[in-house]
């Protein structure tokens, strides 16, 4: 069994208990591994999806564009997550997906993944859970940008990064490399890069975080949580099987 197959099986097993035959079916999926550079488009709005990707390494993001080219980043995708599960059953993409960092992907043709889901209900339930958790994160992002002030918005995203990085084993502590530029943070939070820079400095001045270039260390987790009004319930971490 390849390392890629083992990683995908671990993903499914983090959601549901698998039988030996379930694991065999996952191992039989025609995954193709490829690496793409940062900023590469994986899918553009209006395109017909032909494959679904599992992120082995790196980060990606979804974005929507206005007719005049203004961007809103609507979600971040991390290692161990499937990209665009909704496109298993939708005929065209309604948004762009772009590599945030250099990405290594395990891609499977959509027809093969559909047949697998139909023949393996347990795996189908696991993918359902993933899709529903992502929908929950979307709702929280909508609340964040619609009802929180700039300081809370940015603090909330920093809290989310910390929790999601730790849950996906990307980092072991309370420090991580911030994966987004200040322009990208602004596009995710509805703020200008200047405003993002000002808020980052205020969080640092208040002793909630420390920064060294792109490295962010959470110095005062309770304080950052309070500033963010952060409750990790929306991440549904209890749905991850040990």
């Amino acid at each position: 069994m390849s390392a890629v197959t083992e990683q995908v099986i671990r993903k499914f097993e983090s959601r549901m208990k698998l039988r030996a035959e379930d694991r065999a079916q996952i191992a039989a999926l025609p995954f193709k591994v490829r690496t793409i550079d940062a900023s590469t488009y994986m899918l553009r709005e209006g395109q017909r999806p032909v494959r679904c990707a599992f992120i082995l390494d790196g980060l990606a993001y979804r974005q929507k564009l206005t007719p005049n080219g203004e961007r809103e980043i609507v979600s971040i995708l991390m290692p161990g997550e499937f990209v665009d599960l909704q496109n298993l059953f939708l005929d065209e993409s309604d948004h762009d997906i772009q590599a945030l960092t250099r990405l290594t992907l395990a891609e499977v043709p959509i027809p093969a993944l559909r047949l697998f889901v139909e023949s393996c209900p347990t795996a189908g339930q696991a993918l359902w859970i993933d899709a529903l958790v992502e929908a929950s994160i979307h709702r929280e992002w909508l609340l964040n940008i619609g009802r929180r002030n700039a300081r809370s918005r940015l603090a909330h995203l920093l809290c989310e990064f910390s929790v999601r990085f730790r849950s996906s084993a990307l980092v072991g502590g309370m420090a991580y490399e911030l994966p987004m530029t200040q322009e990208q943070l602004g596009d995710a939070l509805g703020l200008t890069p200047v405003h993002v820079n000002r808020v980052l400095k205020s969080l640092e001045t208040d002793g909630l975080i420390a920064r060294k270039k792109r490295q962010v260390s959470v110095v005062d987790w309770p304080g950052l949580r309070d500033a963010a009004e952060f409750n990790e319930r929306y991440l549904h971490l209890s749905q991850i099987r040990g």
Side-chain angles (χ1 to χ4, degrees):
M1 187 180 296
S2 72
V4 171
T5 301
E6 289 179 355
Q7 192 169 338
V8 176
I9 287 174
R10 284 197 302 271
K11 167 60 179 177
F12 279 100
E13 289 188 319
S14 73
R15 294 301 191 191
M16 299 291 294
K17 185 177 181 179
L18 299 179
R19 303 167 303 169
E21 51 264 43
D22 299 330
R23 297 188 192 94
Q25 283 188 272
I26 294 171
L29 285 170
F31 284 110
K32 179 180 180 181
V33 176
R34 71 173 178 133
T35 300
I36 61 175
D37 293 328
S39 301
T40 301
Y41 281 90
M42 300 168 62
L43 191 65
R44 285 186 179 270
E45 183 172 351
Q47 282 186 335
R48 184 178 183 88
V50 296
R51 54 189 176 267
C52 186
F54 177 80
I55 300 179
L56 299 168
D57 187 55
L59 302 168
Y61 62 89
R62 306 184 196 283
Q63 69 177 22
K64 293 281 291 184
L65 300 176
T66 65
N68 63 0
E70 292 186 278
R71 176 176 65 175
E72 181 70 24
I73 293 175
V74 297
S75 69
I76 302 295
L77 298 159
M78 297 194 174
E81 296 180 352
F82 280 95
V83 177
D84 243 17
L85 289 176
Q86 69 265 33
N87 281 335
L88 279 176
F89 300 103
L90 297 178
D91 290 336
E92 66 177 0
S93 178
D94 53 48
H95 62 284
D96 300 327
I97 304 175
Q98 198 167 4
L100 180 57
T101 66
R102 187 174 174 82
L103 278 176
T104 303
L105 307 166
E107 297 180 329
V108 61
I110 284 177
L113 193 56
R114 282 182 180 172
L115 287 173
F116 167 63
V117 169
E118 290 172 3
S119 63
C120 185
T122 300
Q125 290 179 54
L127 294 180
W128 255 109
I129 293 171
D130 264 21
L132 292 172
V133 170
E134 186 172 353
S136 177
I137 295 173
H138 276 299
R139 289 190 290 273
E140 190 69 24
W141 277 45
L142 183 61
L143 175 65
N144 203 37
I145 197 170
R147 291 301 181 190
R148 294 189 178 110
N149 61 33
R151 179 182 172 86
S152 293
R153 287 183 212 175
L154 183 49
H156 196 281
L157 189 57
L158 295 179
C159 285
E160 181 179 305
F161 280 148
S162 182
V163 172
R164 290 179 70 189
F165 284 153
R166 279 185 282 132
S167 68
S168 60
L170 288 178
V171 297
M174 300 297 284
Y176 55 87
E177 183 174 339
L178 189 62
M180 304 172 76
T181 66
Q182 291 184 8
E183 180 183 2
Q184 290 167 336
L185 287 170
D187 287 345
L189 299 170
L191 303 171
T192 65
V194 172
H195 203 166
V196 168
N197 185 53
R198 188 159 56 240
V199 174
L200 282 171
K201 286 181 178 178
S202 79
L203 294 173
E204 191 171 18
T205 299
D206 292 344
L208 303 183
I209 64 171
R211 291 187 297 158
K212 186 176 181 181
K213 296 184 179 179
R214 295 286 290 274
Q215 187 83 6
V216 172
S217 300
V218 179
V219 177
D220 181 358
W221 175 248
L224 189 64
R225 282 180 64 107
D226 288 345
E229 303 173 349
F230 184 76
N231 185 325
E232 62 194 37
R233 182 183 300 115
Y234 73 99
L235 296 172
H236 296 278
L237 300 178
S238 63
Q239 297 285 137
I240 301 174
R241 297 176 71 251

